[in-house]
């Protein structure tokens, strides 16, 4: 080596500027890829031996050396060097120190460009699987809670004004519908993550007789990237992941907002156990819903990362550019954020306690069964628009009398003879929800059926 111990320094006549060295290094954060880098290298060396580019002995010595390095990293004995720039060169350098010159053969037929793209995909695939298992916990918790609360009456809102009675189970199944799409989206994203760039080398492929399908099989990739230029430059999978996470976080943020409202004294719909809340350093009476608030707050950073990644890519010519090193920190933070928020909800949801008396009382306020009265009149032959207007007048009566429409005497409900005693059945909140028993409706039995259908769809 000419002036430094950098593996690429052959043509250089002066050492890297100290600031530039630190500025261009990524090892501080990309060491998170170390285990995947080693897995990739072992598969690459194995394939090289199978096609005769390395001897069996060379391959064995490389894989044994890498196993030792893996252990040093796992036990925190490995010394990372900024001068060696990134995780790839740190490990390769350590390998050569460990096993001698044979270590220098590992990089045959590959480049850091296809290596890093492979490592990031292996990392993301593993993380997606971790997140998926938290999603599964959350899905199960939501279904259990929805089943338990299938018959609990609460107000449904539009414009945050009481609109019509619904069941709490139905509301939770609306959350579930969002989560189910998030689960699907993550699995769909995984398909495009699980594609192997290795073999593209720097950008144009390699002149060695590599067997990419074999390396892909060893690493559990579904297929190999078709085009070498695209393989080293493509970060669509990271952007897709960021978009998937952003949508999922947007959902969590909406749930969080509802939890924050519901735990307030004004709503009093649910109680979160103390272990998910914190107090105030000055107001002794306070119990704050910090976990949902923080989840709502963390949504911002995932949207930011999505924007960063899109912007990172937008001006890049083919093929690899150093810009791509900037993909890692957003990606790592997206993974951690989404994983932890999913886990927080999976832990918290089973512990939600419904304060059903308050929910029911709120559903009774705001004339939430007015539509049911209109529907009743329609069933008795009145055109819907007329019924709408007639019920509007009934609501005005109730406001004047300061009571609910179900508390008005029959004579006040409508002067017409269309209204008989049976009207009170539809004016109760229980009657209102029970009447909505079509698919997708809020009736308790319909919610129970929706829960069991969802359970059947949720793969074990
Ligand atoms: N640390 C780099 C990255 O994260 C690895 C690839 C560098 N390749 C190169 N030719 N400079 O993208």
């Amino acid at each position: 080596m000419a002036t430094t111990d950098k593996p690429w320094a052959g043509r250089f006549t002066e050492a890297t500027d100290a600031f530039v060295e630190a500025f261009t290094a990524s090892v501080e954060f990309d060491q998170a890829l170390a285990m995947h880098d080693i897995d990739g290298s072992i598969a690459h060396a194995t394939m090289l031996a199978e096609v005769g580019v390395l001897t069996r002995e060379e391959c064995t010595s490389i894989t044994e050396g890498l196993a030792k390095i893996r252990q040093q990293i796992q036990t925190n004995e490995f010394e990372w060097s900024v001068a060696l720039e990134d995780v790839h060169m740190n490990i390769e350098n350590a390998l050569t120190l460990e096993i001698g010159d044979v270590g220098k053969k590992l990089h045959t037929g590959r480049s850091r460009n296809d290596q890093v793209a492979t490592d990031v995909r292996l990392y993301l695939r593993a993380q997606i699987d971790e997140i998926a298992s938290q999603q599964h916990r959350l899905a199960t918790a939501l279904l259990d809670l929805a089943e338990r609360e299938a018959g609990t009456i609460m107000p449904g809102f539009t414009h945050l004004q009481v609109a019509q009675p619904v069941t709490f189970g139905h509301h939770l199944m609306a959350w579930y519908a969002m989560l189910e799409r998030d689960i699907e989206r993550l699995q769909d994203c995984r398909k495009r993550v699980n594609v192997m760039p290795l073999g593209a080398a720097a950008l144009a492929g390699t002149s060695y007789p590599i067997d990419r399908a074999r390396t892909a099989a060893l690493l559990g990739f579904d297929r190999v990237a078709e085009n070498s230029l695209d393989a080293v430059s493509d970060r669509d999978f990271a952007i897709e992941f960021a978009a998937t996470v952003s949508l999922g976080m947007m959902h969590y943020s909406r749930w969080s907002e509802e939890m924050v409202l519901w735990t307030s004294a004004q709503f009093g719909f649910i109680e979160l156990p103390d272990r998910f809340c914190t107090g105030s350093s000055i107001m002794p009476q306070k119990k704050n819903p910090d976990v949902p608030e923080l989840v709502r707050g963390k949504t911002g950073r995932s949207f930011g990362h999505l924007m960063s990644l899109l912007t990172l890519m937008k001006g890049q010519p083919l093929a690899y550019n150093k810009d791509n090193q900037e993909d890692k920190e957003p990606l790592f933070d997206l993974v951690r954020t989404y994983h932890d928020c999913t886990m927080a909800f999976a832990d918290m949801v089973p512990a939600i306690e419904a304060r059903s008396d308050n929910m029911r009382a709120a559903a009774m306020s705001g004339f939430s069964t007015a539509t049911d009265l209109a529907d009743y009149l329609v069933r008795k032959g009145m055109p819907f628009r007329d019924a709408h207007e007639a019920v509007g007048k009934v609501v005005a009566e109730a406001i004047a009398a300061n009571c609910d429409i179900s508390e008005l005497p029959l004579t006040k409900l409508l002067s017409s003879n269309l209204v008989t005693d049976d009207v009170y059945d539809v004016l109760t909140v229980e009657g209102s929800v029970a009447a909505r028993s079509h698919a997708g409706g809020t009736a308790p039995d319909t919610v129970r059926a929706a829960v069991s259908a969802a359970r059947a769809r949720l793969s074990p």
Side-chain angles (χ1 to χ4, degrees):
M1 302 263 150
T3 51
T4 71
D5 56 357
K6 296 188 199 317
W8 42 252
R11 63 155 291 173
F12 286 73
T13 54
E14 60 175 354
T16 318
D17 178 271
F19 171 74
V20 170
E21 184 171 274
F23 183 69
T24 53
S26 55
V27 66
E28 214 181 289
F29 49 85
D30 68 13
Q31 48 181 278
L33 301 175
M35 295 303 126
H36 305 291
D37 193 70
I38 292 174
D39 290 341
S41 290
I42 291 175
H44 179 65
T46 306
M47 178 279 290
L48 288 181
E50 285 172 6
V51 299
V53 172
L54 292 180
T55 66
R56 289 276 155 208
E57 297 68 42
E58 287 169 339
C59 176
T60 306
S61 147
I62 286 172
T63 47
E64 285 174 3
L66 287 170
K68 272 197 199 127
I69 292 166
R70 187 197 293 279
Q71 203 170 14
Q72 288 163 12
I73 296 171
Q74 280 168 338
T75 54
N76 271 330
E77 286 159 63
F78 193 87
E79 267 186 52
W80 298 101
S81 150
V82 172
L84 287 164
E85 197 178 319
D86 57 24
V87 62
H88 323 292
M89 293 204 296
N90 266 269
I91 292 176
E92 198 190 318
N93 187 70
L95 179 67
T96 303
L97 290 176
E98 185 72 43
I99 64 171
D101 277 354
V102 183
K104 296 181 185 167
K105 294 196 171 186
L106 170 62
H107 213 51
T108 313
R110 78 172 183 189
S111 148
R112 273 187 299 153
N113 298 351
D114 58 346
Q115 185 178 358
V116 69
T118 302
D119 291 3
V120 173
R121 285 169 181 270
L122 287 173
Y123 160 85
L124 193 54
R125 185 183 71 188
Q127 297 300 321
I128 284 175
D129 293 345
E130 290 288 323
I131 294 167
S133 75
Q134 294 300 327
Q135 283 179 324
H136 195 277
R137 283 184 60 221
L138 174 55
T140 309
L142 263 184
L143 292 177
D144 290 347
L145 186 62
E147 190 162 47
R148 200 171 84 207
E149 304 296 342
T152 307
I153 306 281
M154 72 180 288
F157 298 87
T158 59
H159 312 267
L160 202 59
Q161 313 291 318
V162 170
Q164 291 177 341
V166 295
T167 51
F168 187 33
H170 193 53
H171 194 112
L172 292 165
M173 287 305 284
W175 287 9
Y176 188 83
M178 301 177 204
L179 177 65
E180 195 171 30
R181 292 192 294 274
D182 295 333
I183 290 173
E184 259 178 51
R185 246 187 299 275
L186 189 64
Q187 288 309 312
D188 197 56
C189 169
R190 190 188 191 282
K191 291 181 200 157
R192 281 171 296 280
V193 169
N194 203 24
V195 178
M196 189 188 75
L198 210 60
L203 76 165
T206 172
S207 55
Y208 297 98
I210 55 170
D211 182 351
R212 296 184 71 204
R214 174 67 180 142
T215 320
L218 287 169
L219 291 170
F221 280 112
D222 293 331
R223 55 198 171 89
V224 303
E226 293 282 332
N227 178 290
S228 66
L229 295 169
D230 180 54
V232 291
S233 82
D234 170 34
R235 295 294 182 274
D236 291 5
F237 66 93
I239 296 173
E240 260 191 87
F241 178 75
T244 302
V245 169
S246 293
L247 260 169
M249 287 298 296
M250 179 272 283
H251 290 152
Y252 291 168
S253 185
R254 297 182 66 188
W255 307 2
S256 295
E257 173 65 14
E258 293 190 325
M259 285 190 193
V260 171
L261 286 172
W262 292 347
T263 51
S264 70
Q266 288 69 24
F267 276 78
F269 284 4
I270 61 167
E271 188 76 46
L272 291 177
D274 287 358
R275 65 183 183 279
F276 296 107
C277 299
T278 59
S280 155
S281 53
I282 178 167
M283 298 167 283
Q285 84 285 8
K286 292 278 281 180
K287 176 176 162 185
N288 298 325
D290 285 39
V291 172
E293 287 175 276
L294 201 52
V295 170
R296 189 177 59 190
K298 283 181 185 292
T299 306
R301 67 162 83 194
S302 53
F303 295 0
H305 294 322
L306 170 61
M307 220 27 78
S308 298
L309 290 172
L310 281 167
T311 312
L312 171 65
M313 296 311 294
K314 80 172 275 291
Q316 283 197 47
L318 287 173
Y320 177 85
N321 301 282
K322 182 77 167 180
D323 311 42
N324 284 350
Q325 186 163 292
E326 286 287 307
D327 65 354
K328 287 167 204 62
E329 287 161 295
L331 197 58
F332 295 168
D333 192 63
L334 282 161
V335 161
R336 194 175 113 156
T337 302
Y338 197 40
H339 176 274
D340 290 1
C341 293
T342 308
M343 186 165 134
F345 271 124
D347 291 345
M348 202 166 52
V349 164
I352 291 176
E353 262 177 63
R355 296 173 66 180
S356 47
D357 290 354
N358 289 344
M359 285 188 178
R360 190 173 186 284
M364 299 281 293
S365 71
F367 314 108
S368 66
T369 56
T371 313
D372 295 276
L373 178 56
D375 291 343
Y376 172 89
L377 294 172
V378 169
R379 277 197 300 278
K380 300 269 171 135
M382 191 184 276
F384 182 75
R385 279 293 157 220
D386 293 343
H388 187 284
E389 183 172 350
V391 175
K393 293 197 174 113
V394 172
V395 169
E397 291 268 8
I399 292 171
N402 194 25
C403 67
D404 185 52
I405 49 177
S406 62
E407 290 158 353
L408 288 171
L410 207 51
T411 50
K412 294 268 182 193
L413 279 177
L414 220 57
S415 40
S416 102
N417 56 5
L418 290 178
V419 179
T420 50
D421 256 353
D422 60 351
V423 71
Y424 291 106
D425 297 342
V426 309
L427 290 186
T428 64
V429 286
E430 283 77 11
S432 171
V433 296
R436 288 161 169 77
S437 58
H438 53 79
T442 193
D445 283 343
T446 309
V447 171
R448 285 183 198 102
V451 169
S452 43
R455 264 195 227 289
R457 284 194 303 271
L458 185 67
S459 50

